[in-house]
């Protein structure tokens, strides 16, 4: 049977849309299969629906330092399509970008939907891409160690090249449920087990849950194992009804997860990271002197959110909220200071795949030729985006990986025979 398409792209997320649009732009007849009833379902919720589209670090070397384990694989695709090209691509199609802290780039419209629209228009404009929605890929059809087509819930389709862009397992409600990775295992690829990576952390400490919704702008958090500090980070923290979250926590989840594999982990928050214990004690001695007619709870309210102050007193077992500052004993003050410097609680795990932004897992990079994004086992199969087992932080790095790998695969698939 003759292939009906030059290229089949499986999965209409950011990497698949970029690959399909690029292959179509270069003249290939492309079939894009998506199991949802729309393209870019996950893309439309990225960055709190504002879409952190890339990270505005224009030096490939510095950008790739954020991919410590995979950077040597990525130099090649990034030499062909990088952050600068992402800016040109979207801005050239009428979507100006803006740069926020940590070099995070967003569309000026602050609408992830607009990013989807640009890609949908890109796909349509080529006139070469047939999009099939509500069609689920089931398996590859392999003949003589070559992929010749795919089986889907809507029938069998043949093509000379197949680009797999079904994503990983993060946020499965958006469609990334892992069939692509299982199909890869069936044809002999090595797939690292999926696990939540950029994800909030869980605790069973009730006081943390009770602070849900409250955030601290500046603190340090230490993660300890066997009373030794293993990791220390400074920045913003958000309490949730299950534990802790915010970019700082999410970005530390991978390392905490590794620690949890070895044994119990305790987190310790320091609410006054610029003072050591002695300095903080001196600060409170002076404060309680100058504000001697004020109640402790009033003084704490001036230093932090009311509920946090109440929690600190509760944890320190200090019933002194309604005590005048000049009536606080030395022992009580010292306990207060200690607690402010060491609010500790056990970390019981991560929130799992449903809550993760990025999941570990996917095809191991050594089985991919990154010059073309082809499989080293099947030269006409391309692997892109979250199907690859590549660790990275939050901040636009994941989507840039999609733009780069999608563009390189689409280019190569349309040009090679
Ligand atoms: C809440 C959230 C916020 C995020 N925010 C950001 C951010 O701001 N910036 C950033 O860089 N990254 C962000 N990420 C990560 C980013 O969204 C992913 O890295 C990216 O979407 C991966 O793109 P992809 O094309 O590889 O896969 P996906 O986006 O997962 O797309 C895969 C597509 O394949 C389809 N599919 C799956 N299986 C099949 C099948 N069997 N048949 C047919 N189709 C199938 C799915 O329905 C889906 O549409 C966020 C992730 C989440 C969950």
């Amino acid at each position: 049977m003759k292939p009906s398409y030059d290229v089949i792209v499986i999965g209409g997320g950011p990497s698949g849309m970029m690959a399909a649009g690029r292959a179509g732009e270069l003249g290939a007849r492309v079939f894009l299969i998506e199991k949802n009833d729309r393209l870019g379902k996950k893309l439309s919720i990225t960055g709190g629906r504002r879409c952190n589209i890339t990270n505005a670090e224009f030096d490939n070397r510095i950008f790739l330092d954020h991919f410590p384990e995979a950077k040597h694989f990525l130099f090649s695709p990034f030499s062909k399509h990088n952050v600068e090209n992402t800016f040109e691509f979207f801005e050239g199609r009428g979507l100006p970008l803006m740069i926020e802290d940590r070099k995070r780039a967003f569309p000026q419209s602050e609408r992830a939907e607009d990013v989807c629209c640009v890609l949908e228009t890109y796909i349509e404009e080529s006139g070469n891409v047939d999009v099939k929605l509500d069609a689920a890929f089931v398996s590859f059809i392999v003949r003589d160690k070559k992929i010749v087509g795919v089986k889907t819930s809507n029938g069998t389709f043949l093509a000379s090249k197949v680009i797999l862009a079904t994503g990983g397992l993060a946020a499965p409600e958006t469609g990334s449920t892992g069939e692509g990775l299982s199909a890869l295992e069936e044809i002999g690829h090595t797939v690292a087990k999926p696990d939540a990576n950029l994800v909030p952390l869980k605790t069973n400490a009730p006081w943390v849950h009770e602070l849900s919704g409250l955030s601290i702008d500046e603190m340090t958090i230490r993660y300890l194992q066997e009373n030794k500090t293993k990791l220390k980070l400074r920045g913003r923290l958000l309490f949730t009804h299950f534990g802790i979250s915010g970019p700082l926590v999410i970005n530390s989840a991978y390392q905490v997860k590794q620690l949890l594999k070895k044994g119990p982990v305790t987190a310790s928050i320091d609410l006054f990271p610029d003072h050591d214990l002695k300095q903080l004690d001196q600060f409170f001695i002076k404060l309680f002197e100058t504000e001697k007619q004020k109640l402790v709870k009033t003084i704490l309210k001036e230093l932090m959110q009311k509920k946090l102050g109440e929690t600190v007193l509760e944890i320190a077992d200090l019933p002194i909220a309604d005590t005048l500052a000049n009536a606080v004993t030395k022992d009580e003050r010292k306990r207060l200071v200690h607690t402010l410097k060491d609010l500790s609680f056990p970390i019981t795990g991560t929130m799992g795949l449903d809550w993760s932004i990025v999941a570990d897992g996917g095809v191991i990079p050594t089985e991919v030729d990154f010059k073309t994004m082809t499989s080293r086992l099947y030269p006409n199969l391309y692997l892109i985006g979250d199907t690859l087992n590549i660790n990275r932080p939050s901040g636009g790095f994941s989507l840039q990986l999609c733009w780069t790998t999608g563009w390189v695969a689409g280019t190569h698939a349309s040009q090679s025979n």
Side-chain angles (χ1 to χ4, degrees):
M1 224 192 318
K2 260 185 76 180
S4 20
Y5 288 96
D6 298 319
V7 183
I8 288 177
V9 179
I10 312 167
S15 65
M17 283 195 274
M18 177 56 94
R22 177 66 179 157
E25 178 185 24
L26 295 179
R29 287 168 304 130
V30 182
F31 191 44
L32 173 59
I33 300 170
E34 167 54 54
K35 73 172 176 192
N36 287 329
D37 58 4
R38 57 158 296 182
L39 298 176
K41 196 166 173 190
K42 188 186 286 179
L43 179 60
S44 70
I45 60 161
T46 53
R49 299 190 181 274
R50 296 169 66 226
C51 185
N52 181 187
I53 198 165
T54 185
N55 192 278
E57 173 51 70
F58 295 96
D59 182 322
N60 281 358
R61 282 187 180 278
I62 302 176
F63 184 93
L64 291 176
D65 278 344
H66 293 275
F67 297 75
E69 294 145 15
K71 70 175 168 188
H72 59 288
F73 295 108
L74 294 173
F75 277 118
S76 174
F78 273 77
S79 69
K80 301 185 177 95
H81 192 89
N82 61 12
V83 176
E84 197 175 334
N85 302 113
T86 298
F87 269 75
E88 281 163 11
F89 179 89
F90 287 102
E91 297 201 317
R93 287 173 173 76
L95 189 75
L97 307 184
M98 60 182 184
I99 302 168
E100 294 192 353
D101 59 308
R102 295 191 289 127
K103 299 193 180 180
R104 293 172 308 142
F106 294 83
Q108 279 180 22
S109 67
E110 302 195 69
R111 281 171 41 94
E113 282 297 348
D114 293 347
V115 180
C116 291
C117 285
V118 168
L119 289 161
E120 279 168 337
T121 309
Y122 183 46
I123 287 169
E124 269 166 39
E125 266 172 10
S126 75
N128 287 326
V129 185
D130 289 344
V131 178
K132 183 82 191 147
L133 299 175
D134 296 312
F137 158 76
V138 178
S139 60
F140 296 106
I141 307 170
V142 184
R143 301 248 157 80
D144 301 327
K145 298 199 173 160
K146 237 186 128 197
I147 308 283
V148 293
V150 296
K151 281 191 187 141
T152 77
S153 56
N154 294 49
T156 295
F157 300 94
L158 303 182
S160 332
K161 321 272 168 51
V162 174
I163 300 179
L164 188 74
T166 45
L169 270 167
E173 74 285 0
T174 61
S176 320
T177 42
E179 299 95 277
L181 298 182
S182 310
L184 284 174
E185 273 186 317
E186 276 167 28
I187 60 167
H189 264 293
T190 315
V191 175
K193 198 174 155 288
D195 196 1
N197 184 354
L198 295 181
V199 66
L201 297 174
K202 269 196 300 197
T203 178
N204 54 12
W207 67 264
V208 173
H209 307 170
E210 280 158 24
L211 288 178
S212 174
L214 188 142
S215 65
I216 309 170
D217 284 340
E218 195 64 19
M219 53 93 238
T220 58
I221 184 162
R222 286 183 301 137
Y223 298 103
L224 299 104
Q225 194 153 55
E226 290 170 351
N227 291 324
K228 288 198 189 99
T229 301
K230 299 288 182 182
L231 185 66
K232 185 175 173 184
L233 301 155
R234 182 170 176 150
R236 186 168 174 271
L237 179 120
L238 176 71
F239 291 102
T240 68
H241 62 276
F242 48 77
I244 50 172
S245 190
L248 191 78
V249 169
I250 284 174
N251 281 320
S252 66
Y254 177 75
Q255 284 152 290
V256 175
K257 212 172 57 179
Q258 303 310 315
L259 286 176
L260 282 167
K261 285 181 189 159
K262 295 184 206 151
V265 175
T266 303
S268 165
I269 295 171
D270 180 351
L271 294 171
F272 288 85
D274 291 327
H275 297 67
D276 64 21
L277 264 180
K278 211 169 146 197
Q279 289 166 333
L280 192 61
D281 195 34
Q282 287 301 322
F283 170 79
F284 272 95
I285 290 172
K286 275 196 200 130
L287 189 65
F288 283 175
E289 259 168 34
T290 43
E291 307 280 7
K292 55 184 165 212
Q293 289 309 317
K294 278 192 183 166
L295 298 175
V296 170
K297 66 179 178 194
T298 314
I299 292 176
L300 285 182
K301 217 172 104 190
E302 285 160 10
L303 293 172
M304 64 192 68
Q305 294 166 72
K306 182 169 172 263
K307 180 95 177 108
L308 183 59
E310 288 166 3
T311 304
V312 167
L313 291 180
E314 222 174 277
I315 294 171
D317 198 17
L318 286 170
I320 56 169
D322 293 310
T323 306
L324 285 176
N326 64 359
V328 174
T329 66
K330 182 179 169 189
D331 174 59
E332 287 168 338
R333 190 192 68 238
K334 291 224 176 267
R335 260 161 57 207
L336 173 64
V337 166
H338 264 100
T339 311
L340 291 167
K341 295 282 297 169
D342 179 20
L343 275 175
S344 57
F345 53 95
I347 296 290
T348 50
T350 70
M351 280 304 284
L353 291 164
D354 287 359
W355 287 78
S356 74
I357 290 176
V358 170
D360 275 352
V363 171
I364 57 168
T366 46
E367 291 184 2
V368 178
D369 178 353
F370 279 81
K371 283 193 208 81
T372 55
M373 299 315 300
T374 47
S375 149
R376 289 199 186 275
L377 277 55
Y378 300 89
N380 65 335
L381 173 64
Y382 296 75
L383 303 165
I384 59 175
D386 277 5
T387 61
L388 303 162
N389 186 28
I390 292 181
N391 241 316
R392 69 269 175 184
S394 69
F397 296 97
S398 299
L399 285 175
Q400 183 57 50
L401 195 64
C402 292
W403 313 136
T404 296
T405 56
W407 191 91
V408 170
T411 306
H412 192 263
S414 64
Q415 289 173 342
S416 61
N417 291 312

